[in-house]
Amino acid sequence: MKKKLLKKQNKEALSISNGKYRILFKNIPNNIFFKDLDSIYVICNKNFANEFGISIDDFPGKTDFDLFPKELAKKYREDDRRIINNRLTLEYTEKYVKNGKEYIANTIKTAVVNEDNEVIGIIGLYRDVT
């Protein structure tokens, strides 16, 4: 039963990459991403992908450990778990490292809930405010 539920949640998470949601992601001027329950990136917009020099098509399946230094990736994973487990929305300003250079970003992350009131992942929006 648990495997069936997980499959359903993954299917819902992947559906965000289709149709009207793709249009929204494409046109939001900030960096935006969606992660599944395991903190694996499902989709992002071009602005987010450009930050890392990765094409949008190559982003699905990546994790924070693929993109950030280990300690920062661990922090992001912990934040994700807290958001998912408590259905939170968090907004914070923090330092991040990209290509060895330090930046400051304003970030908002929130749990994404489906029609059955089940958390299926996290959506995040951030912008560089350095």
Side-chain angles (χ1 to χ4, degrees):
M1 183 72 167
K2 186 176 180 180
K3 193 173 185 178
K4 196 175 203 179
L5 177 62
L6 186 58
K7 188 174 182 178
K8 177 185 174 197
Q9 289 171 333
N10 285 339
K11 185 177 178 183
E12 289 171 341
L14 290 172
S15 73
I16 197 167
S17 65
N18 296 321
K20 61 185 173 186
Y21 299 114
R22 183 175 284 280
I23 292 169
L24 286 173
F25 264 69
K26 182 179 179 184
N27 289 289
I28 291 174
N30 293 20
N31 299 298
I32 188 168
F33 58 86
F34 178 82
K35 294 181 193 177
D36 68 14
L37 293 173
D38 296 317
S39 295
I40 297 171
Y41 289 94
V42 175
I43 187 174
C44 69
N45 69 352
K46 189 173 183 177
N47 293 340
F48 188 82
N50 286 343
E51 285 280 321
F52 301 96
I54 300 171
S55 83
I56 292 174
D57 296 331
D58 292 333
F59 237 91
K62 298 241 182 269
T63 70
D64 290 321
F65 291 97
D66 297 318
L67 305 173
F68 300 100
K70 185 179 178 180
E71 289 305 311
L72 197 53
K74 283 171 63 175
K75 181 212 179 295
Y76 292 159
R77 274 278 167 100
E78 290 168 7
D79 290 346
D80 291 353
R81 291 277 41 97
R82 197 170 54 161
I83 291 165
I84 288 169
N85 292 338
N86 299 297
R87 296 176 176 233
L88 297 174
T89 297
L90 296 179
E91 181 173 2
Y92 42 90
T93 301
E94 64 183 350
K95 293 179 183 178
Y96 74 102
V97 178
K98 180 182 79 175
N99 300 325
K101 189 173 177 186
E102 195 171 90
Y103 296 88
I104 299 173
N106 177 262
T107 304
I108 300 171
K109 286 183 178 180
T110 193
V112 176
V113 178
N114 68 10
E115 299 84 23
D116 296 325
N117 202 32
E118 302 163 332
V119 176
I120 60 167
I122 292 176
I123 195 164
L125 185 77
Y126 84 91
R127 65 187 172 104
D128 186 329
V129 293
T130 304

